[in-house]
Amino acid sequence: MKKVLIPLLFLVLLLSSCFNPEKKVNITIEGDVVSPSFPIKIDVNIDNYDLKFFDENNMQINVKKEGNYYYFSDLKEGKNEVLISVFSENKKIFDKKFTIYFDDIPPNIVFLNYYLKGGELNLTASSPATDLEKFILENGNKKYNFNISLKIPIEKNKGIIKYRLYAKDKYGNKSKPQIIEINTDNDERPKILNDDLKISLFGKTNIKVSDDWTPTNNLNILLETEKNSYSLINIDEVLLEGSKEGTLVVIDNGNNYAEKKVNIELENNIPSIATGNPRLIDFSVDTFGWNYETDVDSYVVEVPYKYGWKQELETKAAYARLTDSNVAMIRKKSKYGTLSFPSRPTIRFSGTFVHLVRNILESSEENLYLPQINSEFLIGGQTVLGEKSIVMVESGSVLKFVSNSKLIIKGLFFIMPGAGKSLISGNGEIIVDGGIFIASKTIFDKIKVIGKNAKLIYLEDSEFLEGSDLLSTNDFRVCLYNTLGYKSNLNFHNTEEIYIKESTFNNLNFQNVNIFDSEKSSFVDMYINGLSKIFLDKTNVKKIKQDEFSWSKIMNSNIDSIDISGYSRSVLYKTRVATITENTSVVVK
């Protein structure tokens, strides 16, 4: 009997193991919006299955399958209730209902503007579709995708070029094409867009012109008045004749020209310096203000950076917010685009200051405070103040150099204003090595101030005694306001910006200076060389020697003699010059 039961039990177990009862089916659906070209993804947790789809009327829906992705094309627009059925070995094993939205309406292009400018096709398009993905511009095998505007180069004299523009939404629906035809054989006249011509003291203008094939920088632009004709190089010289009307003439590379009568507005003065900004603010305070004045179009806030000074922001308001820089200067901007002289610096400081109780200033990376009560402070040997160091010297203090010593400033050194004057003396050198030196009400006695890649040298209400000079090499900005040096010389070599106001010095030497502005100042001799640019207003100079392709503009000033040579140019406006000598150069007056 046992021999019969054992084979029978084995057969029962074998049949049981081959039997696969219905497994629980899970369907995962990713996405709820479909279009003929935008699928949903469906995963089922079993193998060897087929899916069929039915609409609300139990009619089978045709789909296109690519892997686990399913494309629908014959649903009604909008919301659809769909039944999905899972079949295994031709038997339905599971049903599930789900909701999807069908979108086969392409986006509309409601705005299209295109034009040629400077050999480039400029195109702007828009669509009200909230699901817009992009615009597509096609030409042959070239395709360009963009969101709002596009600029592409185009070749001249290639006949008529056709482009097709489509709008495409994120569900793959694409609009009917709008055809753009460009006749590249046409060459139109340039366009002059402004009626008034504003000319700044330095020749900046508000000229707005364009041409289909010639880039704006390559257009030949002339201003013709009753008395003269000017190019953009010397257009500021119209100030000499004071014309109020003129004709703008624009000529493109194809010798097409356009002309237009314009009213001329001339700038006669540099804007005054912005005032009222604080000298010191804590680093936790990121907003500061200054005096609001009506003789300004806007204010420009400038900060130092690796390569000089840059515009941090431009504002109509009389306040600004700074987040990073520890120094800022304010400049007024006129409606002509001319910037005023930089304001006094606003300094942001952080951390604590070590009060120097000893009377010896030594090399340091710390923030130091030098109180007047502990002066005089001695500087011996070579004293280096590091890049992160901020040193503040209370007004009325005395700093004395010993044995031809040097103070090297890599960070920020600030001699504060106050009731008393500070004194720096003793046959020494202050070397501003990439740092910032600011001094107010300071007397320099036998001291050389040497700039070496200085970010800023700013002196106000100060005085250079005999034996004290300033030498600037590769500095980014030098400001001397209300500072006297009757027997002191200023030497500038490769200096980026120099501003001198209401000051007096002996001799000034310039070599490759980007811009020098002087107002209400007086100098004995000026030597201008090597591509330097000089602007004098209400300034007195005994002798000017100008050479080596340099440029100067002198207004409302008095000059005893000017000797100009080496293909240089000087423009004189309302300026008295006793003697003028020219050699291979031009003096315009």
Side-chain angles (χ1 to χ4, degrees), residues 12 119 178 192 381 383 387 432 441 468:
V12 170
Q178 290 207 23
I192 302 172
T383 302
E387 291 183 13
V432 189
K441 287 189 175 181
S468 297

Side-chain angles (χ1 to χ4, degrees), residues 301-438:
V301 180
E302 295 180 333
V303 298
Y305 76 119
K306 183 178 179 180
Y307 302 107
W309 286 76
K310 66 177 182 178
Q311 176 178 311
E312 183 74 1
L313 61 92
E314 183 173 347
T315 177
K316 298 283 187 181
Y319 64 89
R321 182 172 179 264
L322 290 179
T323 56
D324 298 318
S325 181
N326 62 348
V327 176
M329 302 180 87
I330 318 302
R331 303 181 75 174
K332 292 180 181 179
K333 186 176 182 180
S334 72
K335 66 179 182 179
Y336 301 91
T338 300
L339 295 175
S340 70
F341 283 38
S343 71
R344 68 188 186 190
T346 291
I347 303 170
R348 296 173 73 208
F349 62 92
S350 62
T352 58
F353 282 78
V354 177
H355 281 242
L356 196 65
V357 294
R358 298 178 61 202
N359 68 337
I360 299 176
L361 179 61
E362 297 177 326
S363 297
S364 176
E365 294 286 342
E366 296 182 297
N367 293 342
L368 302 176
Y369 182 78
L370 281 60
Q372 185 268 338
I373 194 172
N374 291 339
S375 67
E376 63 184 8
F377 298 100
L378 301 179
I379 300 172
Q382 183 168 289
T383 302
V384 180
L385 303 175
E387 291 183 13
K388 296 182 180 180
S389 173
I390 297 178
V391 178
M392 295 190 184
V393 181
E394 188 177 3
S395 66
S397 297
V398 176
L399 282 74
K400 187 173 183 179
F401 284 76
V402 179
S403 301
N404 298 314
S405 52
K406 298 178 180 180
L407 175 64
I408 301 174
I409 301 169
K410 294 180 178 289
L412 190 153
F413 195 96
F414 179 30
I415 301 177
M416 305 167 69
K421 288 189 175 183
S422 298
L423 172 65
I424 305 178
S425 63
N427 288 317
E429 294 180 357
I430 298 174
I431 302 174
V432 189
D433 185 5
I436 295 175
F437 178 47
I438 304 170

Side-chain angles (χ1 to χ4, degrees), residues 376-552:
E376 63 184 8
F377 298 100
L378 301 179
I379 300 172
Q382 183 168 289
T383 302
V384 180
L385 303 175
E387 291 183 13
K388 296 182 180 180
S389 173
I390 297 178
V391 178
M392 295 190 184
V393 181
E394 188 177 3
S395 66
S397 297
V398 176
L399 282 74
K400 187 173 183 179
F401 284 76
V402 179
S403 301
N404 298 314
S405 52
K406 298 178 180 180
L407 175 64
I408 301 174
I409 301 169
K410 294 180 178 289
L412 190 153
F413 195 96
F414 179 30
I415 301 177
M416 305 167 69
K421 288 189 175 183
S422 298
L423 172 65
I424 305 178
S425 63
N427 288 317
E429 294 180 357
I430 298 174
I431 302 174
V432 189
D433 185 5
I436 295 175
F437 178 47
I438 304 170
S440 180
K441 287 189 175 181
T442 300
I443 298 172
F444 298 88
D445 185 9
K446 295 182 176 60
I447 297 295
K448 306 291 185 184
V449 178
I450 300 173
K452 181 182 176 184
N453 302 304
K455 289 186 175 67
L456 174 65
I457 297 175
Y458 179 92
L459 309 179
E460 64 176 0
D461 305 326
S462 297
E463 184 176 358
F464 283 68
L465 300 183
E466 186 173 359
S468 297
D469 298 304
L470 185 147
L471 172 62
S472 168
T473 303
N474 299 320
D475 294 336
F476 293 119
R477 178 170 288 178
V478 177
C479 298
L480 306 176
Y481 298 162
N482 192 29
T483 295
L484 303 178
Y486 295 104
K487 296 186 178 181
S488 296
N489 301 321
L490 309 180
N491 295 277
F492 302 98
H493 185 82
N494 292 335
T495 306
E496 188 70 18
E497 304 173 16
I498 308 158
Y499 304 94
I500 298 183
K501 184 177 178 67
E502 297 174 351
S503 299
T504 299
F505 287 95
N506 185 32
N507 296 333
L508 276 65
N509 291 276
F510 302 94
Q511 182 72 39
N512 296 328
V513 168
N514 185 52
I515 185 66
F516 168 73
D517 286 354
S518 169
E519 185 177 62
K520 297 180 181 177
S521 296
S522 180
F523 314 114
V524 176
D525 295 336
M526 292 180 63
Y527 301 93
I528 308 166
N529 297 284
L531 301 175
S532 296
K533 297 178 183 177
I534 309 297
F535 177 81
L536 308 179
D537 185 23
K538 304 179 184 70
T539 294
N540 298 320
V541 185
K542 184 176 180 181
K543 182 178 70 175
I544 295 178
K545 178 71 171 69
Q546 186 176 335
D547 199 2
E548 295 179 356
F549 303 96
S550 58
W551 176 92
S552 66

Side-chain angles (χ1 to χ4, degrees), residues 114 116 154-163 180-188 212-213:
Y114 61 90
L116 281 178
I154 189 170
E155 287 189 60
K156 190 178 180 182
N157 297 326
K158 294 295 182 181
I160 296 176
I161 300 178
K162 288 187 178 181
Y163 294 90
I180 299 172
E181 292 188 353
I182 305 295
N183 189 346
T184 63
D185 295 334
N186 285 345
D187 189 353
E188 302 289 340
D212 48 4
W213 294 108

Side-chain angles (χ1 to χ4, degrees), residues 134-339:
K134 60 185 175 182
F135 292 100
I136 304 170
L137 185 69
E138 295 181 350
N139 168 244
N141 60 353
K142 294 181 180 179
K143 182 183 291 187
Y144 308 91
N145 298 325
F146 65 99
N147 293 322
I148 298 174
S149 58
L150 176 69
K151 183 186 295 185
I152 58 173
I154 189 170
E155 287 189 60
K156 190 178 180 182
N157 297 326
K158 294 295 182 181
I160 296 176
I161 300 178
K162 288 187 178 181
Y163 294 90
R164 289 176 173 82
L165 177 68
Y166 302 90
K168 182 181 178 183
D169 66 24
K170 61 183 179 181
Y171 303 114
N173 299 303
K174 195 159 74 169
S175 69
K176 292 181 180 180
Q178 290 207 23
I179 306 300
I180 299 172
E181 292 188 353
I182 305 295
N183 189 346
T184 63
D185 295 334
N186 285 345
D187 189 353
E188 302 289 340
R189 289 186 177 187
K191 293 180 175 62
I192 302 172
L193 305 178
N194 47 312
D195 298 317
D196 297 320
L197 178 59
K198 294 181 174 65
I199 304 175
S200 77
L201 283 173
F202 301 105
K204 288 184 179 180
T205 71
N206 65 331
I207 291 177
K208 297 177 182 178
V209 295
S210 69
D211 186 70
D212 48 4
W213 294 108
T214 305
T216 300
N217 291 338
N218 293 339
L219 291 170
N220 186 13
I221 301 174
L222 302 173
L223 174 64
E224 295 182 348
T225 67
E226 292 183 354
K227 300 178 180 179
N228 214 332
S229 180
Y230 304 92
S231 69
L232 289 183
I233 296 176
N234 67 336
I235 197 169
D236 60 303
E237 294 174 13
V238 72
L239 178 69
L240 301 178
E241 63 174 77
S243 295
K244 302 297 183 183
E245 293 182 347
T247 301
L248 271 181
V249 179
V250 182
I251 306 170
D252 67 16
N253 289 344
N255 290 323
N256 300 303
Y257 77 95
E259 59 181 39
K260 188 175 184 180
K261 294 283 187 182
V262 292
N263 298 317
I264 300 173
E265 294 184 39
L266 299 170
E267 185 174 38
N268 293 293
N269 297 290
I270 293 178
S272 58
I273 294 178
T275 60
N277 56 307
R279 294 184 184 271
L280 293 170
I281 56 174
D282 187 86
F283 209 82
S284 62
V285 179
D286 59 7
T287 302
F288 68 100
W290 53 88
N291 295 332
Y292 179 79
E293 299 179 52
T294 57
D295 65 333
V296 61
D297 187 67
S298 62
Y299 294 95
V300 172
V301 180
E302 295 180 333
V303 298
Y305 76 119
K306 183 178 179 180
Y307 302 107
W309 286 76
K310 66 177 182 178
Q311 176 178 311
E312 183 74 1
L313 61 92
E314 183 173 347
T315 177
K316 298 283 187 181
Y319 64 89
R321 182 172 179 264
L322 290 179
T323 56
D324 298 318
S325 181
N326 62 348
V327 176
M329 302 180 87
I330 318 302
R331 303 181 75 174
K332 292 180 181 179
K333 186 176 182 180
S334 72
K335 66 179 182 179
Y336 301 91
T338 300
L339 295 175

